[in-house]
Amino acid sequence: MNKDRILILADFTEGNACAIDFSLKYLCSENSKIYLMQTWQKPSFGSSMLRDIAPILKDISNGELNALKNKVLKEYQLQDDRVELLSFEGDLLNFFKSDVYRNENWQVVLSLKEDSSDLQFNPRFKEIVEASNQTLYILNHCNPGEQINQIYVRNDKATISTPILGSLQKICSEQKCNVLVDLDSNHITSDEKAKMMKRFENACGNASVKTKNRSENGQETPGSKSLSIYHIDQSVKKKSDLLSYFDKWFVKSKGITVRNF
């Protein structure tokens, strides 16, 4: 039987625990398999000494992933075959273009502690969200076991991901959340939007559900514990050599300084 694949972007230590706890609590089923993923990049410039650190970077990535897997297996009492490791050479955009990613269906999870308003207007953030082209969950300012104050769902496709409805149902049955659903897309007719909104309302139970676009809803309170869920089409053209918020995030976690990072 094919297992549901949950991909956790596990490069920033302080976010790993939350992303893992959320995934196992709200996304996992008996058929789910957890994948812990890190990226690493070898320098493409400089002396041979710099190029020789590539094996070291790969070993660091593998070591961190194995340590994280052992912690997950112990804390959540999972069988070894329920957790797989992915150490990818390249940046996150390249991973999203790879056959490893494109040939499977994923639920992608990451956790941040950043200013949500800044993220929404960050070109690279938008690029990453579009490039994922699958169901993407982004937790912000959340800790394991804490209540989520607000959930933002952006759905640009004419269909709703079944796992999204399932996760919303689980979350809203346990917590009192404000749910903001963004169906602002030219690809969805008014009738489709009405039907989709009804499904969201049914899944969210007694939660407060609104249909306003996030940009029309004002700014989030700084440090607000939020969950953003994206189910959108890959439509944004890639920009070349743009300083990446997420590339900086990944490199920073290794304690390495390269170029402007």
Side-chain angles (χ1 to χ4, degrees):
M1 179 182 294
N2 292 330
K3 291 183 177 293
D4 299 324
R5 287 173 160 79
I6 299 172
L7 180 69
I8 298 175
L9 306 183
D11 275 62
F12 208 11
T13 303
E14 65 178 325
N16 287 339
C18 181
I20 291 168
D21 187 74
F22 173 84
S23 299
L24 291 171
K25 191 172 184 179
Y26 296 117
L27 304 183
C28 262
S29 68
E30 60 181 7
N31 294 322
S32 297
K33 197 163 191 176
I34 300 290
Y35 290 78
L36 304 175
M37 196 277 283
Q38 273 196 353
T39 62
W40 63 276
Q41 298 182 64
K42 62 183 178 182
S44 58
F45 58 91
S47 66
S48 59
M49 181 179 70
L50 283 177
R51 292 192 295 271
D52 288 343
I53 72 171
I56 299 174
L57 297 178
K58 184 176 182 179
D59 287 344
I60 290 174
S61 176
N62 289 330
E64 290 181 349
L65 286 174
N66 275 293
L68 185 59
K69 176 178 179 177
N70 291 333
K71 183 177 180 180
V72 171
L73 295 178
K74 181 179 180 181
E75 290 189 4
Y76 294 94
Q77 299 180 338
L78 297 176
Q79 296 296 320
D80 185 83
D81 62 357
R82 293 285 304 277
V83 181
E84 295 286 343
L85 306 180
L86 288 174
S87 179
F88 181 81
E89 180 185 350
D91 65 16
L92 192 54
L93 282 177
N94 285 330
F95 175 74
F96 286 151
K97 295 176 185 177
S98 70
D99 290 339
V100 173
Y101 182 78
R102 288 190 169 185
N103 290 343
E104 303 291 348
N105 292 320
W106 303 92
Q107 295 187 81
V108 186
V109 186
L110 65 93
S111 181
L112 303 170
K113 292 188 182 296
E114 302 294 336
D115 189 313
S116 297
S117 300
D118 288 349
L119 282 177
Q120 294 308 308
F121 294 101
N122 185 299
R124 188 66 167 198
F125 177 81
K126 295 180 180 180
E127 193 174 29
I128 292 293
V129 169
E130 297 283 351
S132 66
N133 204 35
Q134 301 207 44
T135 305
L136 173 64
Y137 300 82
I138 301 179
L139 297 145
N140 200 16
H141 291 289
C142 295
N143 295 311
E146 286 187 340
Q147 178 167 319
I148 297 170
N149 302 131
Q150 178 167 295
I151 301 175
Y152 167 75
V153 184
R154 177 181 165 192
N155 199 115
D156 283 1
K157 297 185 179 181
T159 59
I160 303 174
S161 166
T162 300
I164 287 180
L165 294 178
S167 62
L168 286 173
Q169 188 173 32
K170 290 180 181 178
I171 295 169
C172 294
S173 67
E174 296 181 7
Q175 306 178 24
K176 186 176 181 180
C177 305
N178 293 319
V179 181
L180 178 65
V181 180
D182 183 356
L183 301 177
D184 187 16
S185 172
N186 294 328
H187 303 293
I188 306 174
T189 67
S190 297
D191 288 343
E192 288 173 334
K193 288 181 180 180
K195 292 177 181 178
M196 292 168 69
M197 195 62 206
K198 187 64 176 178
R199 295 186 67 191
F200 278 116
E201 290 172 348
N202 290 338
C204 295
N206 295 322
S208 172
V209 183
K210 298 181 180 179
T211 60
K212 291 183 180 179
N213 183 283
R214 184 180 227 178
S215 62
E216 301 171 352
N217 200 50
Q219 303 296 336
E220 290 183 10
T221 303
S224 175
K225 304 178 193 309
S226 64
L227 166 65
S228 296
I229 306 175
Y230 297 89
H231 186 57
I232 60 181
D233 289 316
Q234 184 177 359
S235 58
V236 175
K237 293 182 180 180
K238 306 298 182 291
K239 297 185 173 101
S240 60
D241 199 30
L242 180 64
L243 181 61
S244 167
Y245 171 86
F246 280 111
D247 291 343
K248 181 178 180 180
W249 175 60
F250 282 119
V251 172
K252 183 171 63 174
S253 69
K254 304 295 183 297
I256 298 168
T257 301
V258 180
R259 276 182 60 189
N260 296 323
F261 298 131

